Amino acid sequence: MLERIVIENYRSCLRTSLDFHPALSVLIGPNGSGKTNILQAILFLQKIADEQSHRPFEVDAVTANSRIKASIRIGQRQSRLSASVDSYADSGNNDVVKASKQKWVVTGRRSQKATIDAPLSLARYITPNRARQNLRRHYYFPQVSESALRSARAAPRWALNVLRKTAEFCSGITYYGASQFTNPAACPVSFDMEREGTRRGFPHLRGHARILYSMYVAQKAGDEKQFAEFDRVVGPKGLKLVDAISFREVTTSTVDHSVRIGGKVVRRRKHQLLIVPQFRVGKQKLSPNQLSEGTFKTLALLFYIITADSTALLIEEPEVCVHHGLLSSILELIKSYSRDKQIVLSTHSDYVLDHIKPENVFRVTRDRQIGTNVRQIRNTMTAAEFDALRVYLDDSGNLGEYWREGGLGDRA
């Protein structure tokens, strides 16, 4: 569980802190207050856990240096991070981590404490029973400095195992944004993968193709029970978005040629799978680019909510392109699945707030001097005001209406 994050020098977050609700945290506030910036900063935790996300600096890109502090609860133990992150925005305005310097303070039972000055990506290689042995050979970790390896080798086994579980949590953070799945017409009707492809083999896929690949993996190689639940929810016995989802596999092959020293030409045949997603609606089989924007977005959002592949889920504006009847069902699913995975979402919708309890709501504001500020609405009211709100909610109104009337501040 992510307990707390402090964000410094990241876009509008000059020094923004947030103490999360253990299940569901809902961010509200006007446009430009910094709700999306908070979600994107949380996503840095996933990026520093993934060594593939560290890429060389692009020409003409402007680098930003941010500081991220976080507290993560792992059972009865805790990992506290203090990190300096160099990043830049790529052509799609996605943050790319160029480099990061991390310090982890791990606390355990009986006042145990250990400090590890090593990147979280290193911890992903640690197995429970062979923590130190896995760190002996430096060539496995070419991106890790000798000092970081020494710090990890010196740490006690229990601390390394806590850090490994922390890495698993952070690498499982996923993000759903309303702008990710606009214009399904741009979605590919198929994608290729290696014949012996694995679950994590496609870092180059983005947007529509990425979610289709994730659905394919979940159905073919992942938890079939989880995908069956997703299939049931979106199918004719559930929300009736589509009647069935299937993935047709077509084996293809290509021939590669390479020239070795001496002019010898080597010919190699590579076998691939062509994956063709199909969505059945009535008697028709549709390609993903034939679905409406609202249907595609809702399918993607429900897939992220229902499947257990994520440890924490960040959702930006779930109400976009979704009518109220369907949105009500989605919100009930969000509340239900927040018992299994931590969920943080931002919204502009008073209808969303109608389904949320006051203790789950955080108000986001922005000041020219202090930047983005986050406060749980309970902390923005006096005890008498909060009691009056509870009476109002119990007797006559709802939280969305209270917000709409200005009770929680500006909602523009």
Side-chain angles (χ1 to χ4, degrees):
M1 183 186 75
L2 183 58
E3 295 181 312
R4 176 178 172 82
I5 193 167
V6 179
I7 310 157
E8 298 179 0
N9 195 37
Y10 176 73
R11 300 185 183 182
S12 66
C13 300
L14 303 183
R15 195 181 191 281
T16 303
S17 62
L18 171 58
D19 294 296
F20 297 91
H21 188 277
L24 175 63
S25 302
V26 178
L27 308 180
I28 63 170
N31 287 326
S33 58
K35 299 185 298 298
T36 299
N37 294 343
I38 293 170
L39 297 181
Q40 293 287 354
I42 297 170
L43 198 59
F44 271 136
L45 297 176
Q46 186 270 336
K47 293 177 179 178
I48 65 174
D50 181 7
E51 72 282 355
Q52 293 181 354
S53 69
H54 291 54
R55 287 186 259 161
F57 185 58
E58 289 185 359
V59 177
D60 298 329
V62 178
T63 302
N65 177 261
S66 307
R67 290 195 61 83
I68 303 293
K69 298 179 181 178
S71 175
I72 299 168
R73 172 69 57 181
I74 305 293
Q76 296 181 6
R77 294 173 173 176
Q78 185 186 61
S79 297
R80 296 198 306 272
L81 166 70
S82 178
S84 173
V85 181
D86 293 333
S87 65
Y88 63 89
D90 64 12
S91 56
N93 201 32
N94 300 304
D95 290 313
V96 178
V97 174
K98 178 187 174 186
S100 65
K101 185 176 181 180
Q102 304 164 40
K103 178 180 180 179
W104 293 90
V105 177
V106 184
T107 56
R109 300 167 186 167
R110 297 184 294 275
S111 301
Q112 293 172 306
K113 186 175 181 180
T115 300
I116 305 175
D117 293 316
L120 196 58
S121 56
L122 176 65
R124 294 180 60 185
Y125 295 93
I126 301 171
T127 59
N129 298 321
R130 301 185 62 192
R132 282 209 189 93
Q133 293 88 327
N134 284 5
L135 303 176
R136 286 180 178 173
R137 303 180 70 179
H138 187 197
Y139 66 80
Y140 281 130
F141 317 107
Q143 78 281 12
V144 179
S145 67
E146 285 288 353
S147 62
L149 278 171
R150 284 196 299 271
S151 178
R153 290 192 190 105
R157 178 170 294 181
W158 68 266
L160 289 174
N161 286 335
V162 172
L163 198 62
R164 175 183 58 83
K165 292 177 181 178
T166 303
E168 291 173 357
F169 173 85
C170 290
S171 63
I173 296 174
T174 54
Y175 180 86
Y176 169 89
S179 61
Q180 281 181 295
F181 304 108
T182 55
N183 188 20
C187 181
V189 296
S190 64
F191 56 87
D192 295 319
M193 65 179 294
E194 296 292 333
R195 186 68 181 84
E196 58 279 1
T198 58
R199 184 177 181 82
R200 297 185 180 274
F202 276 80
H204 65 277
L205 292 179
R206 296 286 182 268
H208 301 78
R210 184 76 180 189
I211 189 67
L212 291 172
Y213 169 72
S214 297
M215 289 181 184
Y216 166 76
V217 169
Q219 186 187 60
K220 296 294 182 180
D223 191 329
E224 294 181 2
K225 184 178 179 181
Q226 287 278 324
F227 191 85
E229 174 67 9
F230 167 70
D231 214 14
R232 183 192 66 77
V233 170
V234 303
K237 294 183 179 180
L239 299 179
K240 302 179 181 178
L241 292 171
V242 295
D243 291 316
I245 302 173
S246 61
F247 295 89
R248 184 184 170 197
E249 298 178 343
V250 179
T251 302
T252 64
S253 62
T254 58
V255 177
D256 291 336
H257 294 84
S258 59
V259 180
R260 295 184 177 178
I261 295 175
K264 182 180 180 180
V265 178
V266 178
R267 182 174 180 269
R268 185 172 70 92
R269 183 174 295 276
K270 182 168 63 174
H271 297 284
Q272 293 180 311
L273 280 178
L274 180 68
I275 310 301
V276 184
Q278 294 178 319
F279 298 83
R280 185 166 61 82
V281 179
K283 295 182 178 180
Q284 289 184 304
K285 286 187 176 180
L286 304 178
S287 294
N289 62 357
Q290 293 178 293
L291 298 173
S292 70
E293 182 175 325
T295 298
F296 198 104
K297 283 186 174 183
T298 305
L299 286 171
L301 176 56
L302 289 170
F303 179 78
Y304 282 135
I305 294 170
I306 294 171
T307 57
D309 205 30
S310 58
T311 54
L313 175 58
L314 314 176
I315 304 175
E316 181 187 1
E317 298 181 27
E319 67 270 15
V320 174
C321 293
V322 180
H323 66 78
H324 280 184
L326 182 57
L327 181 57
S328 177
S329 298
I330 292 173
L331 293 170
E332 291 305 313
L333 285 168
I334 287 175
K335 290 190 291 184
S336 175
Y337 279 91
S338 68
R339 303 186 193 107
D340 302 320
K341 67 180 74 177
Q342 195 172 16
I343 297 179
V344 184
L345 69 83
S346 66
T347 184
H348 287 283
S349 171
D350 51 354
Y351 185 82
V352 170
L353 233 56
D354 287 343
H355 295 75
I356 305 300
K357 295 180 179 180
E359 54 264 33
N360 296 105
V361 180
F362 297 77
R363 184 184 172 194
V364 182
T365 57
R366 184 179 179 183
D367 181 89
R368 288 185 178 181
Q369 299 298 322
I370 65 173
T372 293
N373 183 47
V374 187
R375 297 178 69 191
Q376 193 171 28
I377 62 169
R378 172 66 182 86
N379 298 327
T380 66
M381 303 177 177
T382 65
E385 289 172 337
F386 193 72
D387 289 341
L389 172 61
R390 285 199 173 279
V391 171
Y392 169 78
L393 296 177
D394 291 339
D395 293 346
S396 58
N398 53 55
L399 195 57
E401 182 180 12
Y402 188 79
W403 187 28
R404 187 166 60 249
E405 296 301 322
L408 300 178
D410 188 7
R411 63 178 290 270

